[in-house]
Structure formats: C-alpha cells, structure tokens
Amino acid sequence: MPSLPQERVIQGPSPLDLNTELPYQSTMKRKVRKKKKKEIITANVAGTKFEIVRLVIDEMGFMKTPDEDETSNLIWCDSAVQQEKIAELQNYQRINHFPGMGEICRKDFLARNMTKMIKSRPLDYTFVPRTWIFPAEYTQFQNYMKELKKKRKQKTFIVKPANGAMGHGISLIRNGDKLPSQDHLIVQEYIEKPFLMEGYKFDLRIYILVTSCDPLKIFLYHDGLVRMGTEKYIPPDESNLTQLYMHLTNYSVNKHNEHFERDETENKGSKRSIKWFTEFLQANQHDVAKFWSDISELVVKTLIVAEPHVLHAYRMCRPGQPPGSESVCFEVLGFDILLDRKLKPWLLEINRAPSFGTDQKIDYDVKRGVLLNALKLLNIRTSDKRRNLAKQKAEAQRRLYGQNSIKRLLPGSSDWDQQRHQLERRKEELKERLAQVRKQILKEEHENRHMGNYRRIYPPEDKTLLEKYESLLAVAFQTFLSGRAASFQRELNNPLKRMKEEDILDLLEQCEIDDEKLMGKTVKPRGPKPLSSMPESSEVLRRQKYYSSDSSYDNSHSSSDSDENEKEEYQNKKREKQVTYNLKQSSHYKLIQQSSSIRRSVSCPRSISSQSPSSADNRPFSAQQMISASRSTSGSRSHSLNRASSYMRQLPHANDASTTNSQTSESLRQLRTKEQEDHLTSQTLFVLKDMKIRFPGKSDAESLLLIEDIIDNWRYHKTKVASYWLIKLDSVKQRKVLDIVKTSIRTILPRIWKVPDVEEVNLYRIFNRVFNRLLWSHGQGLWNCFCDSGSSWESIFSKSPEVVTPLQLQCCQRLVELCKQCLLVVYKYATDTRGSLSGTRPDWSNSS
C-alpha cells in the first residue's frame, strides 16, 4: 500500500510567492482595462479681474487652467484681443471678443459709421444724437453754431474724449468758441428733456450677447441696471453746466458723491434693476411691450452697422471656414441708453468690456444671470475637442489621398459630361446647405431650451421685420464694403439661404430625377416616402429583418396557409413578436374590413406584411393593401411591397387605360355636386372619428387609457416628449411617424370617394398641407399643437385663397388629433424599449 506523504510545516516565506509565475500564466496574460479619462471643459480666466466670472465658471462646472494654457475650451479676457490670437484658435475653442467690434465700441468710430448709415437710411437711424468728430469736423461744428446764433437759438453740447471711458474728461458747453480745434473729441447735442425718475436723470445698461456673426445672432438680456444721477435734475444753463452729478449718469462718476445711495432693496438707491423699472413703467400706465420693442430695434440696427466690419475681420482671421460653422467668438456688450420724456431710446455708447464688478447685491444678481445664461447658450461640450481633432485628421487624409467628392471636368468634355458635372455640383451644394440648415436647427433648439432670461432679437420671428433688417444689412455691406461687397451681396441674395429643410430635400429629389433621366434610367414614381428605421434596440432591428422577409412569404400563399407557416416560422426562430401600431377602424363602416388596421413595427420597415380578411387569427394588414385584399387572391402577385409599386398595381396599365382613367376621373369631378362633396366629406369625418391608435399588445381601451395617462401627467412628460420629437428624431424619422397616419388616409379616401388616384381628392390635398405644416420647422408645427403656442397649423388656411368648408376643417382637426396620439404612442414605446434594455422588457405577445 503506497504510503501517504508526511505533513510538513512550512516556516518562513512560502516557496510560491506572488512573483512566482505559474505554468499557464506564461500564455495567458491578464488584460488590464484602462479607465477612460473623464472629459472636462476647461476655462482660461487669467485675462479677467472680475471675481464674478470665476464664480460663474465654477458654477458651470468648468475647470480653470493655468494662465499660460492656450488650449482651453473657453478663454475670457477683459480687454479686446489681437486678431492673431483669434486666428490661432482651434474650432472647439471660444473667446469672448469679436474682431472688428471696435467699429461701434469706440465713440469716434461709432459716430463715423452712424453718420454714413444716416446718409443712406435717415429714417431708420433717428436714435443717435447729432455728433461731430474733432478735429475733422471742427469747421462743420462752428458753421452749425453760427446758424444757431442767426436763429437766436442756444443749445447745450456734451464733449467726450474720442476713446475715453468711465466718464473721464466729459464736460458740458453752450459756447463752442472755446473748444480746441486739434484735440480728438466727440461733440454731441445734449438731450435736455430726459425721462426722470423721482426727479433724477438716469440711463439704462442693457446687456447684449452676440453668439455668431456668420450668420448674425443677437440676444437681449431682459434685465440690466438703471443708473441714476445723484442730484435732482434741472435743465442745463450757464449756472449748472459743471454739476456733473446732475447731468452724468455714469456709476464711476456718481459713486464718489456723498448722496450716492447704496441700498440693497430693488426699489431704492442710486442703482436699480431694469426688471424693477419695467414694473414701474407698467404701474404708471406706460407701454412696456413698446419699450422693449424700441430697445430691441435700436440694438439690432446698431449691430447691423457693425456686421460688415466684424464679418470681414472674422473671415480674415478664420479663412476657409465655411459659412454657418461654429463661431469661435462671442461677445457680451453693454449698451448705454437714455430715455427722453416720450420714452424714446437714444444710444449713448457701447462697451465691449462692460464692468462685471459687484459692489452691490444688485450687481451680483444681474451680472451673474448675464454670464451664466450666456455660457449656457454657447453650448460648450466636452466632446468638442475630440470631434475637432477627428475632423482635422479626416481632412488631412482626404487631402493626402486626393479624395474629392466631385471629379474635375476634363477639357473637351461632351455636353452629357458637362450636364452630369453640373448636376453633381448642384447636389453637393444642396447637401452642404442641408447640413448647414440642420445644424442651425439643432442650434436653435438648444438656444430655445437654454435661453434663460435672454431673448433672441435677431433673426426675429416676424418675417416683415426680418425683411426690413435684411434690407438694412444689404445697405450696410454696400456702404462699408463697397469695393468688397460683391461676394457678401451674392451670399445675401442666394435663394438657398432662405430655404427650409423640406425645400432643399425637394430640390435634391428633383436632382435625383434629373440624374436618372440623364443616365437613361426609368424614373421611379415618387409617392409618399417609405418608412424606415426609428431609434430602437438591436433586437428590434433583427426582428425587422425577419418580418420583412415574412411579408413576401405571405403574399405568395393563401391566407390560411400563410398564417400557419408564419406561426411555425416564428416558433422555430424563437423571435419576439413584431411591435405594431394599429390604427384600428370601427366595424360600423362597411367599406372597410373589421380587422383593418395599420401594421407597422416601431422600426417601420419598408416591407409591410399583409393578410386576407378571412385570416383565422384576424391579424391586421397593411393599409396599403386593403384595396388589393378585396381582389381575387388566386392570381399571381408581385413580391415587391414598396408603397408606390403596390399602389400602382391596383390601377390599369398605363399603356392600356391611362386615357380611360383620366376621362373617368374628369367626368366624376364634373358630375359631383356640392351636396355630394359634403356627403363624402362627412363620411370621411365619420371614418376618421372611428380610427383609434392602438398600442402594441394592448386593447383599444387600454391604449386610450395609456394616452390619457400621458396627458394627465403632462407636466412630467412634456419635456421628455419634446426632447424625443424635436431633438432625437430627425426630419426623416418625424415624417415616418406621421406617415403611419398618412398611409391609412391614402387607403381609405379612394374607397370613400371612388377614385383610382387619391391625388384627385381635394380633401387629400388639404390633408397634405396639414401634414407639411405639422412637420414645419423640424416638427415645431406638431409640437405647437401640444403647447398651444407659436404658429397654429390652421394659419395655412387664412393665408390661402382656397375656401375650406367647416366639414373639411373638422376632418383636419381630427387628423391632427390622430397625429398627436400617434406621437404619444411612439414616444411611449420608445421609452419602454429603453427601459427594457435594463432587464424589464414589455410583453408584446398579445399585440394584434
């Protein structure tokens, strides 16, 4: 019997320590996963002396970098920066000054540029006091003084240094003989009848944010500072011209007066908020809306004067940057505005480096809001730097390998080659513009959500006002860049600049048609755009592929066999059942089968399975095939279930009966009376009211309860639905959601109106206009129906000469209601699907 080895007590260190390598360890090395470095937004605030800027940077969660770091996402400087520094910035960086903004921020430059614009458009620039620039206009001023003496009039003038600030060197005069002729000064007519508050003169500090100059974007902060004089105002005369505490409203001047009141309450003291001032105006029966409108117009018109200079300087600093790309510059400006006794605003000066000192609590409250909301509007993201580096790498590779999307046209090319080349260039131009439009839409959506107390004043929503501003902008370019304005003028006049996303998509589609014709291909009929994928999990994508193949299988067999085979195939593959949205229609209407409904997966596949109404399990079938379901199923069928082709199969062949169809439809239109039109419209309304949106796996009642639950808890769901509809879905996917309703409409109308082509029905053309309006401005049209704000879809009828009857309007209202319910169902499904990825997947097995 073999003896067992004796036990041995090991003393000291074990012979197999941590450094000993086991035999299998030489081939299996343990992989150590590196932790992903957390991305952060960095800010360089070495160039500012204001503590409030650093506090806001901390509040935003940005990390302050060392003074010498020039790679920060955000760079903040109190003073203007050199153009060379702006030229060296990467596309992911932001700096708080524009080049060329000094053209309106220096007093002499502002006066010179305003004088030029006044000559071109005198009626639009009446908010600037008459100004003379010394020494160039010294003689003109003296001539003006002589004219006043002849008329025995006397005026007061305010004299300022050409490049002064903080009230230094300002004086009032009534006799111009004593003014030096060679000093660099600004002389303005003094506004002798200002609007007074408690007997004191005051001015307003309005904060303006410019986020981009290409295109121009201006935001006005709906708060600010009211800065009051510290002595009761008396109209100027020889005895009080030197009393600057009475005539000047600069804080830097009045804070030295012993009567300056530092009060923490908002309705007392020498410095107050504009928020309180607007309440004061309202309490005294003044028009607050007109006040803000006049301020906004003054600001926009002033920045229009600066735009040619700023845009030219910016493009010189950033050559090769395409229009509409992310701006590396932004600027917070301080407009000093004086109100006369009629509440007309007058522009005094503009500060490109407004003080962010916080001597009082009101300073802290107002200026913190100005900075915090401005940084939120800029949308500085942690991924900006990484994306910029990846883009630079891709551009370098493209240049290295000479990868150009359009081949160069060789000399002596044929007319066909030239036409093809022009088409390709046109398509590239449209695609670039489409990308810019979509980028601008995303920007606007972010701005609308993070505007805070800012309001966008350019571009305005009012089209008439926008046209007026664009006219002034064209004059400004012609005035200030007369020799270089041709390229800018072409950009302003480019018709693509005013086009919406849908218009550009239509032009691209037309280019595709022209290209097919040029290549000799058969032009495919353009029906409603087919539905494709919406946001979903990978499992749903796999199911989509399976069910898409099933649809062809079903069409080649009888209805009963197809049901059994489909079930058997489903059990063999052990797939989850397809998610469906059903627009179930009531059994009361006999023209449509009881089981008819729209069957679409949430991924909305292009191929849609269809079944005969005699199916044993009463499965819903595609709305596109409800017409073909009534036809004989014994004949051979096409396997193609594309929406356009499936509809074309129901019509007689074009070569055989096109003339007959046109004559029949024409005769039907002629014979149909107004009473018949109303009768058919009422039948359509009856069917629309019976339509229901069914959630997958739920009954009609349960689906209705689900929609009502979302509406009852709208405060919770509102932001989530808005985020899903307006942000996560692009315009193509938004169209697919509404196509769920639109496809059913296209099916039932020919049956009700007894026409072969739905396009012949006037009601359908009205519906199309409603659908387009709901998709207007990247889905904003439908969203306005939820929040009862903005432009209503019904406004399309007020601007059209076509008369819409009350019955037709009711049909449109029901259509909009179905679209709203459809969006809520899609949103709810998408929410549940996201939740299911964590382990709880909804049961769709009972969907029908």
Side-chain angles (χ1 to χ4, degrees), residues 551-569:
S551 63
S552 299
Y553 177 84
D554 289 341
N555 271 318
S556 60
H557 292 73
S558 66
S559 58
S560 58
D561 291 339
S562 64
D563 288 342
E564 294 174 3
N565 290 333
E566 184 180 358
K567 290 178 182 177
E568 183 179 354
E569 188 77 3

Side-chain angles (χ1 to χ4, degrees), residues 671-800:
L671 292 173
R672 193 176 293 146
T673 63
K674 184 179 183 301
E675 289 75 13
Q676 289 173 331
E677 288 268 354
D678 290 343
H679 176 68
L680 293 172
T681 305
S682 62
Q683 285 187 353
T684 307
L685 179 61
F686 179 78
V687 176
L688 288 174
K689 286 182 176 179
D690 279 346
M691 283 185 177
K692 300 291 186 298
I693 301 289
R694 179 184 290 181
F695 193 88
K698 298 184 184 296
S699 65
D700 288 347
E702 290 172 334
S703 301
L704 184 61
L705 286 174
L706 186 144
I707 294 172
E708 289 176 350
D709 179 65
I710 296 176
I711 295 172
D712 291 341
N713 297 283
W714 185 239
R715 183 174 294 182
Y716 169 77
H717 290 286
K718 182 177 180 180
T719 55
K720 298 179 182 295
V721 176
S723 175
Y724 179 75
W725 174 248
L726 298 174
I727 301 169
K728 293 187 179 178
L729 298 185
D730 59 23
S731 59
V732 177
K733 293 174 183 175
Q734 287 176 344
R735 184 181 291 275
K736 293 168 190 171
V737 174
L738 298 194
D739 273 355
I740 295 173
V741 180
K742 191 173 184 178
T743 306
S744 184
I745 299 298
R746 285 185 61 86
T747 306
I748 63 172
L749 287 183
R751 297 280 297 175
I752 299 171
W753 293 73
K754 294 182 172 56
V755 292
D757 188 359
V758 70
E759 299 290 344
E760 297 176 8
V761 181
N762 180 50
L763 183 62
Y764 179 73
R765 291 196 289 271
I766 295 174
F767 285 171
N768 256 341
R769 292 172 60 194
V770 175
F771 280 120
N772 290 335
R773 184 62 182 180
L774 296 180
L775 293 169
W776 164 78
S777 189
H778 198 72
Q780 192 65 46
L782 180 59
W783 181 245
N784 289 345
C785 301
F786 283 97
C787 53
D788 296 327
S789 64
S791 179
S792 168
W793 60 269
E794 296 177 3
S795 63
I796 61 175
F797 301 125
S798 62
K799 300 175 183 178
S800 172

